[in-house]
Amino acid sequence: MTTAPAPLFILSFRQRDELASLAAGAGWQVVAARRVGGAERRFLSSGAAVAVIDARGAPADGLTAATLLGGAIEANGGALLALVSRGETATIAALYDAGATHFLASPFSDSELLQALRFAARHADRMAREWQTGPVFAPLGWRFDLTTRDLVLTPGLAALLGVAEELGVRTLLRRLDAGDRSVAVGALRRMSQARPATAFAHDATGIGRVVQHLQLDLAEQRIDAVIEPLGSAPEPAAEMREALAGARDAGSARRWLTRRLEVGGDAPLHAMLIALNRFDMVNTAYGRAAGDSLLRSAQKRVGDVVHEVLGRDALIARMSGSTFVVAAAAARARIDLALERIVGELARPFVTGESIAVLGCRIGLAEALPADSAASLLRRASEALAEARDSDSATMRVANGAADSSNAAIDRLAVDLNHAMERGEIGILFQPQVSASSGAIVGVEALARWEHGVLGSIGAETLFAAAARADLEIGLSDHIQKLVLAQAAGWPAALSGLRLALNLTAADIARPGFADLFLDRVDASGFPRNRLTLEITESGLIEDLGIASALLSVLRGAGCRIAIDDFGTGYSSLAYLKALPLDYLKIDKKLAQDITGSPRDRIVVRGVIDMARSLGLTVIAEGVETDAQLEALAKEGCQIYQGFLCSEAVSIGALNALVVNAASSALQ
């Protein structure tokens, strides 16, 4: 049986036909181009694993082409051979940074070129095999991300333990006996800025006696662990860093996709490639350090959306350069929700040094087909991304010409929402608000959740977006207020001292007679007015501050307290502080988390807290996830916090247990 010729993509500005003829004569199936425009899409469509860029005599065009193709080459595990003029050292360095993997300097013979092509093809084959099976070494260790709370095991450790590479901290600790577990927890607690490294020994099933070497990296907000079987040295640090990248690099992403495709499931697997716009301009203008910081910020924004909308089982990884991959087994409607949120998050400005950078993104989406491998799925997503980049206006393209509508998911939800309230699908969870000084739970914020029959749990932001599309904002707000007040009025005794924070919408504020209607609703429920805080989202008040101020003054005079929510996300914050009768200022989670960022970030947060305190307002920080964030915020004068450091939003039963346990701990 004759083997089909391997595809090869050639881009040459002056000698396209000559190079194509030579390669074709040697058995390659050549796709050749002369212009840079559309090169990425043509390379991906060719099916080639090897690309040739002939930069001889045209170094600037060659670098542009390498920049276009470099990400696709790295993301798809290929090779890029650059032909350069002899002596162009600077060109070689720039091409290497752009993604070239092999070089050949002129003058060269035909046989030397063909040999270079064979070397490039071997490299591409090796990359494909390695990404499919993992690195040749199998180090033992794990990494814990202090920001996202993700725990990732190296493939070697996951294989020995017979677990997934990503799992919960408690799951891993439960594999130790009680004595070793306490030793492990003690080692974790010992680490600090002054003592970033420690170790502990224990018995491990399938390995024997081992030592875990722990390293705290506060700059990267993570803990790395190398597991050393006694009698052998740990892997070198460089290898361990790469191995511990888990599902955050291209190779691990491929292996993750391969496993998911093999396992299958009821929900279809989707892969999306997300490329930042104008990122090269940031690197050029501000330097690589600023670019790296921006990439970390972008990945965190994407990760926050992915974990909230698609769950912790979804994949997010940096594939190459400024391109990320997100993959999840989920209904298309939920994928659309994630995409819409990601586009919005990446459209928000980034702080870069002393300046503001506005980037945005382009996205390519592909749904797995029955015959897809990880490579073919990613390649189709890459083709869709290339089409989005070539477009003048499209933010996203979908592989295989599937229909795309950025509002389709919200439209579908808007239709379902008409019946969701009747079916009792809208529920309420409560997130604790904690005193920064004493650690006591002093209040809760009520948060709506829609338990959709197909899409699962949907948060308040998406829920109200669907309500706006269906013209049900007032009806939904009334429904939620009644649910919250009824549940809070029936709280168990342990919760009887907590303040309740309830969100009001812009539609509520604009309603004639809303104050009387709302106060009647509160009194009918039996919940005391003096324990009720009404939260107003900053972005919901822009249209008429006069009306908002009058309404809130009435409610405040009736015994309620007023908070401005998500402070720091909009553009009219100072006007709100001057015009509205406020008791609390809630710092948006993205601003609050900046307290452990750069000195400039800390100054901004400190200024907000000082201003609020000067106005006599109690400051509440949202989204607090680490002890370092809490310590820094408390030091600056923040009195209350809420966030995963204490608890996510929970049911009444779980809230009661948290309060009881906190009270018991305080007495001990």
Side-chain angles (χ1 to χ4, degrees):
M1 181 176 179
T2 304
T3 303
L8 174 69
F9 179 77
I10 296 177
L11 176 59
S12 177
F13 309 105
R14 299 180 179 180
Q15 299 186 47
R16 179 192 65 177
D17 295 339
E18 293 87 339
L19 292 175
S21 297
L22 177 62
W28 297 87
Q29 180 67 49
V30 178
V31 174
R34 184 176 282 128
R35 292 186 295 274
V36 172
E40 181 185 17
R41 177 171 46 79
R42 293 192 66 185
F43 163 69
L44 290 164
S45 299
S46 72
V50 178
V52 178
I53 293 178
D54 184 2
R56 295 173 296 172
D61 289 337
L63 181 57
T64 299
T67 302
L68 287 172
L69 295 183
I73 290 288
E74 185 174 352
N76 291 281
L80 177 55
L81 171 63
L83 308 182
V84 297
S85 298
R86 192 170 297 278
E88 291 186 348
T89 306
T91 300
I92 292 176
L95 287 168
Y96 179 80
D97 287 340
T101 59
H102 295 72
F103 297 89
L104 185 62
S106 64
F108 49 75
S109 65
D110 291 353
S111 61
E112 288 173 327
L113 174 59
L114 294 176
Q115 185 64 27
L117 286 175
R118 285 191 284 271
F119 284 142
R122 289 177 189 171
H123 172 84
D125 287 343
R126 185 169 63 252
M127 289 296 295
R129 287 196 303 271
E130 184 171 301
W131 283 6
Q132 191 73 20
T133 62
V136 294
F137 57 87
L140 307 179
W142 48 266
R143 166 179 288 172
F144 180 64
D145 191 313
L146 296 170
T147 302
T148 64
R149 320 300 288 179
D150 290 337
L151 178 70
V152 180
L153 277 59
T154 59
L157 180 59
L160 272 173
L161 298 179
V163 297
E165 290 180 25
E166 298 185 51
L167 73 165
V169 175
R170 289 189 176 90
T171 302
L172 188 60
L173 286 173
R174 279 198 294 268
R175 290 185 165 267
L176 303 178
D177 63 36
D180 287 340
R181 194 179 308 145
S182 62
V183 171
V185 171
L188 291 169
R189 289 176 174 169
R190 280 198 302 273
M191 289 188 296
S192 64
Q193 185 172 4
R195 186 179 183 179
T198 188
F200 69 97
H202 66 93
D203 292 323
T205 303
I207 310 174
R209 193 69 177 168
V210 301
V211 176
Q212 293 208 32
H213 301 266
L214 309 183
Q215 179 82 32
L216 173 65
D217 188 336
L218 287 176
E220 296 293 333
Q221 283 291 290
R222 68 171 185 248
I223 298 173
D224 290 344
V226 179
I227 298 179
E228 175 193 6
L230 289 182
S232 63
E235 295 289 338
E239 283 189 347
M240 203 60 211
R241 278 185 178 274
E242 184 66 23
L244 286 172
R248 287 189 175 83
D249 57 17
S252 292
R254 281 258 183 141
R255 293 191 292 277
W256 188 97
L257 288 169
T258 297
R259 289 195 300 272
R260 291 303 173 95
L261 288 168
E262 290 172 349
V263 171
D266 296 332
L269 181 65
H270 293 82
M272 61 192 88
L273 289 175
I274 304 162
L276 299 180
N277 298 337
R278 298 180 288 277
F279 174 74
D280 290 340
M281 296 171 60
V282 175
N283 254 356
T284 302
Y286 303 107
R288 189 178 293 270
D292 289 346
S293 175
L294 188 150
L295 286 175
R296 286 193 293 272
S297 298
Q299 184 161 357
K300 185 179 187 307
R301 290 188 189 182
V302 174
D304 287 346
V305 172
V306 169
H307 290 150
E308 179 181 343
V309 180
L310 299 177
R312 294 278 170 175
D313 289 337
L315 163 75
I316 173 173
R318 181 179 168 194
M319 292 297 284
S320 63
S322 58
T323 300
F324 303 95
V325 62
V326 170
R332 175 61 192 275
R334 185 158 283 276
I335 295 294
D336 286 343
L337 291 178
L339 286 168
E340 184 176 2
R341 291 278 304 281
I342 288 169
V343 170
E345 286 296 312
L346 295 181
R348 292 193 302 107
F350 291 85
V351 177
T352 306
E354 302 294 320
S355 303
I356 299 295
V358 180
L359 300 182
C361 66
R362 297 294 174 95
I363 299 176
L365 173 67
E367 179 179 332
L369 302 175
D372 262 335
S373 63
S376 62
L377 176 60
L378 283 175
R379 195 168 193 104
R380 291 193 300 109
S382 296
E383 291 170 358
L385 175 60
E387 290 179 8
R389 281 172 161 164
D390 287 345
S391 167
D392 291 332
S393 59
T395 299
M396 186 181 80
R397 283 283 186 259
V398 183
N400 297 334
D404 169 41
S405 169
S406 59
N407 295 322
I410 297 296
D411 288 338
R412 286 192 288 271
L413 289 176
V415 173
D416 293 346
L417 185 58
N418 279 292
H419 306 291
M421 290 182 281
E422 299 172 5
R423 293 193 295 258
E425 294 178 0
I426 309 299
I428 306 298
L429 297 177
F430 300 90
Q431 184 167 41
Q433 296 177 332
V434 186
S435 168
S437 58
S438 68
I441 297 175
V442 295
V444 294
E445 178 183 1
L447 299 170
R449 290 291 185 271
W450 180 3
E451 295 303 325
H452 193 282
V454 175
L455 301 178
S457 183
I458 295 173
E461 183 176 343
T462 303
L463 173 58
F464 274 95
R469 191 68 57 86
D471 197 23
L472 287 172
E473 287 176 285
I474 291 176
L476 176 63
S477 186
D478 283 346
H479 183 73
I480 290 172
Q481 289 168 20
K482 292 174 183 176
L483 284 177
V484 171
L485 291 167
Q487 291 188 26
W491 275 348
L495 308 183
S496 61
L498 299 185
R499 292 199 65 82
L500 170 66
L502 176 62
N503 289 278
L504 298 185
T505 69
D508 290 326
I509 293 169
R511 294 164 66 180
F514 175 72
D516 290 338
L517 173 68
F518 179 77
L519 290 172
D520 287 345
R521 182 173 294 156
V522 174
D523 293 341
S525 73
F527 191 84
R529 295 180 182 181
N530 62 4
R531 282 173 45 210
L532 187 60
T533 299
L534 305 178
E535 295 192 357
I536 312 297
T537 302
E538 176 186 324
S539 58
L541 294 174
I542 293 175
E543 290 190 7
D544 197 325
L545 279 177
I547 292 176
S549 179
L551 169 71
L552 297 179
S553 294
V554 171
L555 294 173
R556 192 166 184 262
C560 302
R561 291 293 172 258
I562 309 298
I564 183 168
D565 195 10
D566 293 340
F567 187 86
T569 59
Y571 301 96
S572 303
S573 306
L574 296 180
Y576 297 154
L577 291 183
K578 290 191 297 182
L580 302 178
L582 300 173
D583 300 283
Y584 299 92
L585 183 147
K586 296 188 69 176
I587 302 175
D588 174 69
K589 70 176 182 178
K590 295 180 177 63
L591 184 61
Q593 290 170 358
D594 283 345
I595 193 68
T596 53
S598 68
R600 186 181 180 88
D601 292 333
R602 291 194 293 274
I603 290 171
V604 171
V605 181
R606 181 183 302 142
V608 170
I609 295 175
D610 288 345
M611 179 173 56
R613 296 290 299 274
S614 298
L615 292 172
L617 305 182
T618 299
V619 180
I620 302 174
E622 296 184 283
V624 178
E625 297 179 354
T626 68
D627 289 320
Q629 291 171 358
L630 175 58
E631 182 179 354
L633 286 164
K635 189 177 296 183
E636 298 298 340
C638 176
Q639 296 109 311
I640 298 172
Y641 79 91
Q642 65 185 84
F644 287 165
L645 181 61
C646 174
S647 172
E648 60 184 344
V650 295
S651 65
I652 292 177
L655 174 65
N656 188 63
L658 279 173
V659 172
V660 170
N661 290 338
S664 300
S665 299
L667 294 174
Q668 292 176 357

